[in-house]
Amino acid sequence: MTVTQTPCSTQWVLSSQLSALFKKLLPSPTPDSNVLLLCCPQLDFIKELLNAGVNVHIVDGNKTTGETVIEFFKQGPYALIASKDEPATYYSADKKLNLHNVHFRSFYAGNTKYNAIMDVGLVSTLPNPEARRAFGDKLIAMAAEKSHMSVFNVERLNGVQAGTIKELTVLDLNLTYGRGFYITFHSEVDNPAGYKEQLYMAEKTAVGGEFYDEKYSKGYSPWHMDAVNYNLLNHYHRIQPAGEPLRKILVPMSGKTVDIKWLADKGHEVVAVEISQAACREIFTRDQIPFEELPCPQVDGKLFKSLNGKIRAYCCDIFKFTAEVEGQFESVWERGAVIAFEEHLRKRYFEHVKTLVTKGCSWMSSIFQYDKNVYYNHPYCVNDDEVYATFEKGFRIESVDETVFPADREYTEEEAKSVMVVLLRRAKLQSVTDRVYLYSKL
């Protein structure tokens, strides 16, 4: 009797939905479409994929499963032969079927980019957050633009021993894939062993300006505040000392913040730097501010400029905005910039902005702080030690204010929409602190 099942297909009830999932993930397959299967599903489904004309890559380190796949396809056009160059790798003569009988960490995809990815339970077997993060980084790099993925998961095993499967929350999945995929819950089914399986669907997100353009165009910008930032209202005098001439103010990685117009209405020249064209444009269109849109090769981007000259928004990568463009600034208002970067990029960002400020500059920054042992993803935590290590040379550092958002507090409907409360609840944190620092260049 021909064996058509594998350990993954027998363990996961969701395996019965793979045919329907494939049609959602890749509604218009072509001979150039590449499908990646993480853990081997039932073999009849693999035949279905091959009949659809796509290229199939299976990654499964179970040697018995590998032998089962080789035996199943030994007759016919998809008979597998061993690669001479890659150990434990097999492929059909036409390269339509590829078996990588190795653990994912040893899998080498070369230049192949995958249009559809089906995680048939692999992520739930990884031993710890570090392994899941490394897995996610590698997978994101292999995914083609606008690719789609399905993920099998178990959030609660209810005391059932299910082999190597571990309980993972949606937060765990976001920490694994969230840097490159937008993940949504799809459905849930009962497993006969006594727990529920969850199916998540994910879409590869764009990068850089395209990512934010996509979010803004869909009306998804939870980091945006419709009101002027309360820290700016409370501490405006820190970046515009009383009795001094009005300063030109830099707002790096500005988004579409209403803070820009508020500062301009006070008479300031405001220079924003933002990677999303949609956000730059909305700074002006939202309040009917007459503006012009100009190419700006100096930053390899565009300049959005109010006709009265008070507001200039450079649409570009922040690292391409140099002091040669606008000179150095006496004041910086930074809200939401550093918390968008992981640690290695924050270091680069801080050092870059230091080149944009002059002696005596007042650089006011709003950062988030929380327990990184519970959650560490966007918006990122920036702790006090990092602040002091970054600015102890050449700057005077002052902790200006803090606002604590505790988990046990009741929030109004409007407060609940703020990025701090959304983060607090989504990440199941005990508290989130919005801390304000002032860095004065010596």
Side-chain angles (χ1 to χ4, degrees):
M1 186 173 96
T2 304
V3 176
T4 62
Q5 298 297 323
T6 65
C8 283
S9 66
T10 55
Q11 185 164 31
W12 291 91
V13 174
L14 284 168
S15 293
S16 63
Q17 299 183 19
L18 287 173
S19 295
L21 285 176
F22 171 63
K23 292 171 184 174
K24 288 178 181 289
L25 296 175
L26 203 61
S28 302
T30 72
D32 294 325
S33 299
N34 296 306
V35 178
L36 179 62
L37 303 174
L38 301 175
C39 289
C40 185
Q42 58 267 38
L43 304 183
D44 286 337
F45 173 64
I46 297 173
K47 284 180 64 176
E48 183 180 331
L49 295 180
L50 293 167
N51 289 337
V54 301
N55 306 303
V56 179
H57 289 253
I58 308 163
V59 180
D60 195 316
N62 186 301
K63 298 305 176 186
T64 302
T65 297
E67 292 169 0
T68 301
V69 175
I70 293 169
E71 176 66 22
F72 183 83
F73 287 102
K74 71 178 182 181
Q75 303 295 331
Y78 302 115
L80 292 165
I81 55 176
S83 168
K84 295 178 181 178
D85 302 316
E86 299 175 63
T89 299
Y90 307 84
Y91 51 83
S92 60
D94 60 2
K95 301 290 181 70
K96 299 298 285 186
L97 177 60
N98 304 267
L99 170 64
H100 308 270
N101 201 193
V102 296
H103 192 279
F104 185 79
R105 65 175 173 268
S106 302
F107 169 51
Y108 175 66
N111 294 323
T112 304
K113 295 291 184 182
Y114 295 97
N115 310 96
I117 300 168
M118 308 185 87
D119 184 343
V120 191
L122 176 58
V123 68
S124 66
T125 67
L126 299 177
N128 52 50
E130 292 73 24
R132 289 193 291 272
R133 184 178 179 84
F135 162 72
D137 286 342
K138 186 173 180 178
L139 189 64
I140 289 165
M142 295 177 180
E145 291 184 16
K146 299 182 180 179
S147 59
H148 290 79
M149 175 171 66
S150 60
V151 181
F152 291 2
N153 182 59
V154 176
E155 188 167 321
R156 287 180 298 278
L157 285 165
N158 299 325
V160 175
Q161 295 298 315
T164 57
I165 291 179
K166 295 174 180 61
E167 299 176 335
L168 299 179
T169 65
V170 65
L171 174 59
D172 293 318
L173 296 179
N174 270 295
L175 289 172
T176 302
Y177 304 114
R179 296 170 304 289
F181 283 91
Y182 179 63
I183 305 167
T184 56
F185 175 80
H186 182 274
S187 58
E188 190 173 64
V189 298
D190 290 316
N191 187 292
Y195 55 86
K196 292 182 182 294
E197 300 174 5
Q198 291 85 34
L199 171 65
Y200 286 87
M201 303 295 280
E203 180 180 358
K204 179 77 180 289
T205 55
V207 296
E210 290 183 8
F211 171 84
Y212 288 101
D213 279 343
E214 182 180 287
K215 298 302 182 189
Y216 283 119
S217 65
K218 292 180 178 178
Y220 180 81
S221 52
W223 52 85
H224 173 72
M225 296 171 62
D226 290 328
V228 176
N229 189 284
Y230 53 86
N231 290 315
L232 178 59
L233 292 172
N234 292 338
H235 302 289
Y236 165 69
H237 63 282
R238 302 279 185 167
I239 57 173
Q240 179 54 56
E244 287 194 9
L246 286 171
R247 294 182 172 189
K248 184 169 72 170
I249 297 176
L250 173 66
V251 185
M253 297 179 65
S254 64
K256 59 181 183 180
T257 176
V258 298
D259 298 357
I260 294 169
K261 181 178 183 296
W262 187 83
L263 288 167
D265 287 345
K266 284 187 168 292
H268 294 279
E269 281 186 66
V270 186
V271 176
V273 183
E274 166 56 39
I275 200 168
S276 166
Q277 290 191 50
C280 286
R281 201 170 284 118
E282 192 169 340
I283 291 168
F284 301 91
T285 58
R286 176 182 55 220
D287 295 302
Q288 290 87 48
I289 301 171
F291 73 103
E292 55 185 339
E293 184 176 327
L294 305 167
C296 188
Q298 200 173 6
V299 297
D300 193 20
K302 288 186 175 183
L303 170 60
F304 294 76
K305 178 182 178 183
S306 65
L307 297 187
N308 67 4
K310 286 293 186 183
I311 301 173
R312 295 186 291 284
Y314 288 87
C315 184
C316 65
D317 184 328
I318 183 65
F319 299 110
K320 293 184 178 180
F321 181 82
T322 65
E324 286 71 34
V325 180
E326 284 275 355
Q328 291 185 311
F329 292 83
E330 293 179 297
S331 288
V332 178
W333 166 231
E334 183 181 73
R335 27 84 31 235
V338 293
I339 59 177
F341 286 129
E342 293 189 65
E343 187 172 355
H344 70 287
L345 277 176
R346 280 201 302 274
K347 290 179 180 178
R348 182 184 171 197
Y349 166 82
F350 280 135
E351 294 308 310
H352 179 68
V353 177
K354 286 178 182 179
T355 69
L356 303 177
V357 301
T358 189
K359 185 177 180 180
C361 172
S362 299
W363 174 351
M364 190 163 68
S365 181
S366 167
I367 61 176
F368 288 179
Q369 296 180 332
Y370 51 78
D371 186 350
K372 292 197 290 187
N373 294 314
V374 176
Y375 175 84
Y376 189 62
N377 205 330
H378 187 278
Y380 291 98
C381 171
V382 184
N383 61 32
D384 296 331
D385 290 343
E386 182 179 345
V387 168
Y388 281 93
T390 301
F391 290 98
E392 63 184 353
K393 293 182 180 178
F395 286 83
R396 183 173 67 252
I397 306 166
E398 182 181 354
S399 179
V400 171
D401 201 354
E402 68 172 39
T403 305
V404 180
F405 297 82
D408 57 2
R409 179 184 143 193
E410 291 291 329
Y411 293 95
T412 66
E413 185 177 344
E414 195 59 34
E415 288 173 329
K417 295 176 184 177
S418 72
V419 65
M420 289 75 68
V421 179
V422 170
L423 170 63
L424 181 75
R425 291 175 172 174
R426 185 185 71 189
K428 299 179 181 178
L429 293 160
Q430 291 300 308
S431 66
V432 174
T433 299
D434 183 0
R435 187 180 296 278
V436 181
Y437 272 101
L438 185 70
Y439 318 127
S440 303
K441 189 168 183 179
L442 302 173

